[in-house]
Amino acid sequence: MPLSASCALPLPGASLAAPGPPPRPTTPRGSLDRARARLATRLLAAAGPDGLLRAPCDSRLLETALALRLLTVTGVDPDAQERLARRLKTALDEGASDPLQEAAARAALGEYVDGPAALTRLLGGFDHFTAGRKRLMFQTVLAELGAHPFPGLPSPGAAFEARGQQRWLVTEMAALKVLHAYGTGAPHLVGEDDWRVLAPSSLPGPPPYGNHLARILALLALRLRPRYATAVRARARELRDGLREDGGLPFITGMDVFATATGGLALAGAGVPAHTLRAPAAALAEHRNPDGGWGFDRGVAQSDVDDTSYCVEFLRAVAPERFGDEVAAGERYLLARQGGDGGFPTFERGTASEVAITAAAVNALAPSPAHRPAVEAAVRFVAARQEAAGPFERSWSLNESNALFRTVLAYDSFLAAAPGHPAVPEVARARERAVARLVDTQNTDGGWGHVPSDPSDPISTAYALIAVARTPASPPARGATERAVRHLLERQRPDGGFVSRPDQAGPRPLAYHVPLLTDVCVLLGLNHARASAASADR
C-alpha cells in the first residue's frame, strides 16, 4: 500500500546524504545526532540478505475474523481456529482498535448484537470518495460473518463494479459480489468473468498482491463453487503460515519495498555512506515491475504512484548514473498516470486524484527540467485543492500532518525548480498556510496527533516536523521545530526505536500498522531538523 513518508528535496544548501558538519557533543545538537545514529543503526539492522528492509505488518482484527470464518466453514485446522478465536477475544478484552473491527470480531465469535443500521454509526464521519463502496463492503463482510442479512440492492451487479481500479480491489469486489449473490439466493448474477478474477487466489504461494484481505474474501467466495473446494481447503490450511505471534492475521504481507525506499532516504539523510546504500538500491531496482513502477512489497505486481515516487527519489539520490534506466522508467510510469486535472491517483489513470499522492509525484519529477509542465500542473492542483477544501486530506494515512508535510515538500520542490514562475506567489501563500496550520495545532507537549486535539504520537509528530523544520526563517516554525525535537528525543526507547499508534489506512479508513515505518519517519523528521540547524549556521 501506498503511504506515508517522504524525504524529497533537502533544505536549500543542505545535502541529502550529509545534512551538515558534526556538532560539538556537548550541544543539544549532539543529542539530536546521537538519536539519529541510533535510529540509523536500527534501520540498517532491519535489512535482509537481499538488501530490502524487512517491514512486516501487525495482525488486525478484520482479517483475523475472516480467517476464522474461512477455517470454520471449511472445517480445517482446529488448532489455528483456536489461535484466531483467542486473538479476537483478547483484543476485545483489551479494547478493539475501532468500532468496525470490533463488530467484525464479535460477529466472527457469534457475539454481535447490533442491527444493519449500526453501520452508519460504525463508519462515523468517514468522508471520502470511496465512502459508498466501503459502506457496501463492510455491510457485505458483516453479513458473511453472520451479523445480519445481506443488504438489499437495486442493481446488485453494478453495485460491485470495480473496472479500472487496482487489482486487489477488483478481486475484493468480485468476491463480495459472489458472497452477496449466494447470500441473497441469486447465484445466477455471478458470471464466469467473476470466477476468473477470483481464481488466482486459489493457487499456492503468497497472497496475490501481498493482500491477505483480498485473498480470504476470494476464498470465501470460491468455496461456493464445488470445483474449487479442494484448493480452498488447501489454502485455508496454509493460513497458519501467515499468522503473527499474537495468533492474528495481518492485512498485508508487509511493506518491504516502501520501507526500503523511504528508509533508504532516511539513511542517506543521516549520513550513511553511499556505498552502504547500494545494496538496498540494487534490491529495489530488481523489484521494479514491467510497467516501470513499483508495488509496496516484494511480489506485488500492482504498481502505484506512491511507492514509485519514493523508489525514484532513492535511486536518484544514491547512484543516478548506475540506476538511470530505472529512474527514467519510473518517471515514465508516473507521467502516464497524471490526470487531466493535473493531479495523480494512487493506482490507475482515470481514478480520482489525491493531494498526498500528487505531492509525492511532484517530488520525484521536479529534479528533471523536462518534466516542468507536469510538475507545474500538479502543484497547481495541490494548491487549488488546498484553497478549496484545506490541506487536511486524510487518505492512506490517518494523519492530517501527513498530507501537510507532503504538500510543503512539493511546494519547495517547485519553488526550487522554477524560481521565476508566475505561480510562485500562489504557491508561496499555500505553503505558508500549510505550515501555519501545523504550528497552530501543535500540542503543548511539543508533538502532534492524527488530528488536532488528539494525543501526540511519534509518527504524527515526525510528519509535522518535516514541514516546520523546513521553515527556519519563521520564528513560530523554528520554535515548533525545537519543541518537536525535544518531544521525540524524550520518547526514544533504550533500543533506539520508537513506538507509535497505527497510522496507515487500508481499506480506508481502517488502520493497520507496520512498526518499522515509525522509525523511518522519525529519522526523516530528525534529519530535516538537523538540516535546518545546519542551514541556520551558514
Side-chain angles (χ1 to χ4, degrees), residues 393-485:
E393 176 189 79
R394 299 170 70 209
S395 183
W396 296 109
S397 167
L398 296 171
N399 265 297
E400 184 179 290
S401 58
N402 182 275
L404 283 164
F405 94 78
R406 288 174 179 239
T407 60
V408 168
L409 290 173
Y411 294 151
D412 285 352
S413 295
F414 174 76
L415 294 171
H421 195 279
V424 164
E426 171 194 358
V427 171
R429 287 193 299 271
R431 186 194 191 282
E432 183 178 355
R433 288 195 299 273
V435 173
R437 170 70 177 186
L438 288 170
V439 171
D440 291 344
T441 57
Q442 186 175 27
N443 289 332
T444 55
D445 63 6
W448 283 264
H450 284 182
V451 295
S453 79
D454 270 6
S456 300
D457 66 84
I459 199 167
S460 304
T461 302
Y463 291 151
L465 176 58
I466 292 171
V468 297
R470 295 182 62 88
T471 317
S474 162
R478 191 163 58 248
T481 298
E482 294 170 357
R483 292 190 296 274
V485 169

Side-chain angles (χ1 to χ4, degrees), residues 144-435:
E144 171 62 26
L145 290 171
H148 52 67
F150 285 87
L153 299 172
S155 302
F160 296 96
E161 177 60 50
R163 193 173 305 167
Q165 300 288 343
Q166 61 267 34
R167 298 169 205 173
W168 59 76
L169 178 58
V170 174
T171 299
E172 288 173 2
M173 298 309 286
L176 295 170
K177 177 183 176 181
V178 171
L179 294 173
H180 184 275
Y182 278 74
T184 55
H188 62 278
L189 295 176
V190 179
E192 286 301 319
D193 286 346
D194 299 312
W195 297 117
R196 275 193 291 271
V197 168
L198 299 175
S201 294
S202 69
L203 300 177
Y209 318 118
N211 192 306
H212 284 295
L213 174 59
R215 185 182 217 175
I216 294 176
L217 288 173
L219 292 174
L220 284 167
L222 287 169
R223 86 183 196 276
L224 300 170
R225 199 175 203 193
R227 64 183 288 187
Y228 291 106
T230 300
V232 169
R233 287 172 61 84
R235 302 294 81 74
R237 290 190 187 94
E238 294 166 2
L239 269 181
R240 64 165 46 243
D241 298 333
L243 301 186
R244 295 293 184 246
E245 290 183 4
D246 62 7
L249 191 72
F251 165 46
I252 54 176
T253 53
M255 297 185 74
D256 291 3
V257 169
F258 182 82
T260 301
T262 54
L265 287 166
L267 290 168
V272 172
H275 67 82
T276 303
L277 300 177
R278 290 193 187 113
L284 282 181
E286 291 176 4
H287 285 280
R288 180 169 60 90
N289 289 326
D291 62 8
W294 282 263
F296 60 84
D297 199 11
R298 64 189 72 243
V300 176
Q302 170 74 66
S303 300
D304 65 79
V305 171
D306 213 24
D307 287 281
T308 301
S309 296
Y310 300 128
C311 288
V312 166
E313 282 195 76
F314 178 50
L315 295 180
R316 184 190 289 121
V318 172
E321 300 82 8
R322 178 178 177 183
F323 299 110
D325 290 344
E326 288 80 6
V327 168
E331 290 175 337
R332 288 193 296 272
Y333 169 87
L334 295 173
L335 292 169
R337 275 140 192 86
Q338 188 169 26
D341 58 4
F344 289 77
T346 303
F347 297 104
E348 302 296 344
R349 179 179 169 86
T351 55
S353 297
E354 303 188 55
V355 169
I357 301 303
T358 301
V362 166
N363 295 322
L365 295 170
S368 174
H371 305 323
R372 194 67 49 76
V375 169
E376 176 192 344
V379 170
R380 284 186 178 276
F381 165 82
V382 172
R385 182 71 65 87
Q386 175 181 334
E387 179 70 24
F392 318 137
E393 176 189 79
R394 299 170 70 209
S395 183
W396 296 109
S397 167
L398 296 171
N399 265 297
E400 184 179 290
S401 58
N402 182 275
L404 283 164
F405 94 78
R406 288 174 179 239
T407 60
V408 168
L409 290 173
Y411 294 151
D412 285 352
S413 295
F414 174 76
L415 294 171
H421 195 279
V424 164
E426 171 194 358
V427 171
R429 287 193 299 271
R431 186 194 191 282
E432 183 178 355
R433 288 195 299 273
V435 173

Side-chain angles (χ1 to χ4, degrees), residues 111-134:
E111 301 175 1
Y112 187 80
V113 294
D114 277 333
L119 191 65
T120 300
R121 174 180 56 82
L122 297 177
L123 275 171
F126 181 54
D127 182 17
H128 195 263
F129 66 87
T130 64
R133 184 173 68 232
K134 296 301 166 53

Side-chain angles (χ1 to χ4, degrees), residues 61 64-66 68-69 72 81-93 101-113 145-147:
L61 293 188
T64 303
L66 287 167
L68 178 58
R69 169 69 174 170
T72 301
Q81 291 183 43
E82 174 58 29
R83 291 177 64 191
L84 291 162
R86 188 163 57 246
R87 172 60 191 145
L88 295 175
K89 292 174 183 176
T90 300
L92 290 174
D93 289 343
Q101 296 202 70
E102 178 181 354
R106 293 195 182 281
L109 295 170
E111 301 175 1
Y112 187 80
V113 294
L145 290 171

